[in-house]
Amino acid sequence: MGDAIMLQWTLSQTVDNFLKVGRDLIRAASADNIQPLTLLSCSRFGATLAISPITRSKIQILLKSQTDPVLVKFFKAHVGYATGDSVDVLSQSMAGINTLALAAALISISSTFEAGCALEIMIVASAADTSLVPTAHHLKDLLDVLEPRLNRAGFLSETLSWRDWWAHNGGKMHGWADLKSRSVVYPSPEGIHQIVASFRELARVGEASSIVFTWCIGLPPTIYDQEGNVILEQEGSYVTLLYSGDIEYVKKIKIEKFREYNSITEVIYASVFDKESMRPGEASGMVEFPTFARCSIERQRLHDEIGRRALLQALPYALSQVRDLCSCGGNSSNRPKVESLRIHEFKPFPEDIRISNVMTRYLSLQGPAPLKKLDEGVLVADLPLVNLWAEAEQSYLELEPKHEFVTRLSYIVADILALALFDDSLDHMMLYYPKSYDLPGNQAIEWVSHIRDVLLDGRPRLCPTIAILSWALQMINHEVLADVQSHDWVASSFRGQVVFPQIFETHSLGSEGFLKLVCIPGVLASGSGNTRRVSRVKCFPARFTTSPQNFRTDVVSRCLNLFPTEKIQWRTSMEADCLSVGIGWTNALTSLKPFDLLRAFSHACMLRSCPHRLDEEIDRTNRSELRFLLPGENVRLVSARFEDDSKRDKIGVYPVAKDDGLRLLSFCSTVYFQEEENMTQCEAVVNENACLMCLVKVCNLWNCQQLVL
């Protein structure tokens, strides 16, 4: 393999040379909060591993491509990868690169604790002295640090590609046509040790190199079935893979080592089933967007020819219908219309063209595929190719085939609409495989249920914001569903990706795509010197602005900004387990919950334009209906201080025209949650380019008490 592969490494020599290793290792271990000996042991252990030059090169290119940290201004933290961390220390030697390559493979398919258990067994087996060998828990801590930077190595994606290859080639021969829809399993920690040890020995004997084979040795194996039929012939490979349908090999892998120079054959077994659970581990990890999309379609069993044709016909109609009929709040179609006024309900999803682009990439189409509208009275289940699929599946399905197709389609619609929220980030995003749908208390599954109902009857549905967000965050394995459900989520950092709502950064109150998300590769770091890693960013408890009871009510006569020198302020505080964030402004100690901004969109509308000039003044009679509100005030809290109904029933106006930051804060102020009443009052009208008279008219017609200029 070019460099000698050792069978053992000596920890005692490592300790003797500890001071020679340098302060970089100690600094990295301290910053990453891991044991220095753990990092040192793993570096030396790498010299015993068989890793192909191609794999080492892939790891090195991956690490070099990771950019410097960037500042996210609104919560004053950096996103990226710290220089001089444990990954950088390991990447300084070939042995360290080997360790990183093995770690990348292990964390691509299993949890860091399971990977740590496997690594402990391998290190113990290869160490000359085991007295100072790190434990599985210490190794887990190290793998937790390595994981964000190694998630993009692509081991699981290559594994899934081999599964698809096998389904297309060997699967046909042995009746495994449905292999693509099956889960991928991995051996037990002891089994992984036996496989890695076998390749270590093979690499010492000769130059050589399914995914494990190419990752460790560099070449695929030659593959036969148990009858001797050739499935794959690979010239120059030192490995032969024999597929057997024998029940004996369901729970274990048989490894035979042949040594020609002494005619000795050694037989060992790599267990697939875990000793305690008596079940194989199901592979799960991060994959690229194309792999995720392909596997999702396969999981819904719509990847065969007739299923794909039906999917291609139905998706453009289904996406358009769900986008139009799934609302996060009040349905503006039931409210009075005003001629000559362009009133728009806020939409959680972006424009049709963005959704179309994601659908095109999801289906791996060559050209554009625009969304389409169904004719009046026509449903997705009525489409010709959907009927054809239903007829073909009639004998296999107990349920109504058309309804079953719509159910499967609903999951793919949910995926594409969620991915459209990330549209600008798709090229560098990693997605979680396989996504779990039916976890206990999972709000995300509620969204699929609403999509299915819309597609089955064509009627509007109310779909909570938290259901859509839960689905989107679940796709990238961000474990923050409890924060979302409690309306406390602001941002999160897991699996080497940081995600937050785009509007927190842009402050733009557009009518399309208020749930758009930003996904940045890296780890979130805050605190002094940005050395403290943060996985969750949550909301401060709300603290509204209060003004004197006799505050003037007649100062707003047209659209204007009465606070030209004030600015929005994002307040942050480092807590024990998270970063807390609130929205305020420079004139008061206001601190509102950023998540309430997303809730406010659900019960608001935007007046895009009217026939009048923007600065046209309102008459004095209508002016008396208005109450001047400070950014951060809520009309219900202000009105509650008045006993006279004539002073209470007024429209609260936020005079912050043309200041995106203060408009954002004011809009967030419109949400008020009163626990004892168990109700949310957040109806508001937001101005884009209309006069005050027309805005007041819309507020009166729609019974809205809050107006953001």
Side-chain angles (χ1 to χ4, degrees), residues 101-123:
L102 176 61
L106 294 176
I107 63 180
S108 291
I109 58 174
S110 66
S111 70
T112 53
F113 178 72
E114 292 172 310
C117 291
L119 202 53
E120 180 188 36
I121 294 171
M122 287 183 271
I123 291 177

Side-chain angles (χ1 to χ4, degrees), residues 479-594:
E479 301 168 354
V480 289
L481 298 188
D483 292 345
V484 173
Q485 292 172 14
S486 63
H487 306 138
D488 284 327
W489 179 77
V490 177
S492 46
S493 174
F494 292 91
R495 298 281 189 166
Q497 297 180 131
V498 177
V499 174
F500 54 85
Q502 186 184 78
I503 193 170
F504 293 168
E505 192 172 46
T506 63
H507 296 173
S508 177
L509 296 177
S511 62
E512 304 283 347
F514 70 79
L515 279 184
K516 285 182 184 177
L517 300 169
V518 176
C519 181
I520 306 176
V523 174
L524 186 63
S526 186
S528 177
N530 293 298
T531 56
R532 182 169 177 181
R533 297 187 180 188
V534 179
S535 58
R536 295 156 60 235
V537 182
K538 298 176 63 176
C539 297
F540 272 136
R543 179 178 178 178
F544 290 96
T545 302
T546 57
S547 60
Q549 191 173 27
N550 60 352
F551 211 80
R552 295 178 64 189
T553 60
D554 61 345
V555 295
V556 182
S557 60
R558 57 188 174 85
C559 292
L560 77 172
N561 180 11
L562 293 181
F563 312 99
T565 62
E566 306 297 342
K567 300 295 180 184
I568 189 174
Q569 271 191 347
W570 289 83
R571 312 187 192 281
T572 63
S573 174
M574 198 69 209
E575 309 293 340
D577 61 343
C578 68
L579 182 66
S580 292
V581 176
I583 310 177
W585 62 308
T586 51
N587 192 45
L589 295 177
T590 306
S591 180
L592 303 185
K593 297 176 66 173

Side-chain angles (χ1 to χ4, degrees), residues 543-547 551 556 560-569 571 583-592 627-635 638 652-657 659-670 706-709:
R543 179 178 178 178
F544 290 96
T545 302
T546 57
S547 60
F551 211 80
V556 182
L560 77 172
N561 180 11
L562 293 181
F563 312 99
T565 62
E566 306 297 342
K567 300 295 180 184
I568 189 174
Q569 271 191 347
R571 312 187 192 281
I583 310 177
W585 62 308
T586 51
N587 192 45
L589 295 177
T590 306
S591 180
L592 303 185
R627 182 190 309 285
F628 170 30
L629 294 178
L630 294 172
E633 276 190 316
N634 179 273
V635 73
V638 173
V653 179
Y654 299 96
V656 290
D659 187 315
D660 287 341
L662 292 182
R663 277 161 51 87
L664 190 84
L665 173 64
S666 300
F667 189 49
C668 190
S669 309
T670 64
Q706 297 172 109
L707 172 59
V708 181
L709 297 183

Side-chain angles (χ1 to χ4, degrees), residues 9 36 39 82 177 299 308 310 320 356 371 427 437 450 525 621 650-651 690:
W9 59 279
L39 183 56
R299 188 173 184 181
R308 183 169 176 81
S320 177
S356 172
L371 304 190
D427 289 334
Y437 297 120
H450 288 310
T621 302
K650 291 182 180 292
I651 299 171

Side-chain angles (χ1 to χ4, degrees), residues 323-361:
R323 183 184 184 276
D324 292 342
L325 297 181
C326 270
S327 169
C328 289
N331 188 356
S332 60
S333 62
N334 298 327
R335 291 170 173 162
K337 302 298 180 185
V338 182
E339 292 185 13
S340 74
L341 299 184
R342 295 175 58 207
I343 304 173
H344 286 251
E345 180 184 359
F346 287 103
K347 297 283 188 181
F349 305 110
E351 303 84 353
D352 283 3
I353 185 64
R354 284 178 174 264
I355 298 173
S356 172
N357 290 339
V358 175
M359 178 188 70
T360 299
R361 297 179 62 180

Side-chain angles (χ1 to χ4, degrees), residues 188-436:
S188 65
E190 294 83 359
I192 293 175
H193 159 60
Q194 294 292 356
I195 294 172
V196 171
S198 298
F199 281 107
R200 177 195 302 129
E201 190 169 346
L202 177 62
R204 286 176 55 83
V205 174
E207 190 79 40
S209 217
S210 182
I211 175 56
V212 172
F213 307 98
T214 56
W215 200 263
C216 292
I217 310 295
L219 288 175
T222 295
I223 305 177
Y224 296 95
D225 66 9
Q226 59 190 3
E227 283 80 32
N229 299 311
V230 177
I231 299 175
L232 174 65
E233 186 73 46
Q234 181 63 54
E235 184 178 352
S237 177
Y238 280 67
V239 180
T240 298
L241 181 64
L242 179 65
Y243 162 71
S244 173
D246 195 317
I247 191 67
E248 175 187 359
Y249 301 112
V250 171
K251 296 185 178 181
K252 60 186 177 183
I253 301 169
K254 182 179 180 181
I255 303 173
E256 296 186 40
K257 305 176 187 178
F258 300 94
R259 300 180 178 87
E260 293 183 358
Y261 63 90
N262 57 11
S263 302
I264 293 178
T265 300
E266 180 183 355
V267 178
I268 58 176
Y269 291 93
S271 174
V272 175
F273 278 41
D274 182 76
K275 290 181 179 179
E276 294 183 4
S277 66
M278 293 308 296
R279 296 180 59 187
E282 183 176 340
S284 61
M286 308 305 287
V287 297
E288 297 84 356
F289 172 48
T291 302
F292 176 88
R294 184 182 74 248
C295 292
S296 294
I297 294 173
E298 291 166 356
R299 188 173 184 181
Q300 298 306 325
R301 300 178 183 268
L302 294 173
H303 57 282
D304 59 0
E305 182 180 357
I306 189 169
R308 183 169 176 81
R309 287 175 61 199
L311 187 61
L312 288 172
Q313 184 180 59
L315 255 182
Y317 295 105
L319 288 167
S320 177
Q321 189 176 41
V322 172
R323 183 184 184 276
D324 292 342
L325 297 181
C326 270
S327 169
C328 289
N331 188 356
S332 60
S333 62
N334 298 327
R335 291 170 173 162
K337 302 298 180 185
V338 182
E339 292 185 13
S340 74
L341 299 184
R342 295 175 58 207
I343 304 173
H344 286 251
E345 180 184 359
F346 287 103
K347 297 283 188 181
F349 305 110
E351 303 84 353
D352 283 3
I353 185 64
R354 284 178 174 264
I355 298 173
S356 172
N357 290 339
V358 175
M359 178 188 70
T360 299
R361 297 179 62 180
Y362 195 95
L363 297 175
S364 300
L365 302 179
Q366 298 301 316
L371 304 190
K372 301 176 182 179
K373 304 287 186 184
L374 289 165
D375 293 336
E376 186 71 27
V378 177
L379 299 173
V380 167
D382 300 327
L383 295 172
L385 292 179
V386 176
N387 282 316
L388 189 63
W389 182 90
E391 292 174 5
E393 297 290 320
Q394 185 72 52
S395 59
Y396 301 102
L397 298 175
E398 296 180 5
L399 303 174
E400 167 60 41
K402 286 186 180 182
H403 290 180
E404 177 62 19
F405 178 85
V406 170
T407 299
R408 299 182 187 185
L409 177 66
S410 299
Y411 285 94
I412 295 175
V413 169
D415 276 354
I416 293 175
L417 288 176
L419 289 168
L421 301 177
F422 293 103
D423 185 38
D424 294 335
S425 307
L426 282 182
D427 289 334
H428 58 253
M429 270 182 65
M430 300 294 287
L431 300 163
Y432 187 64
Y433 168 90
K435 182 156 58 65
S436 299

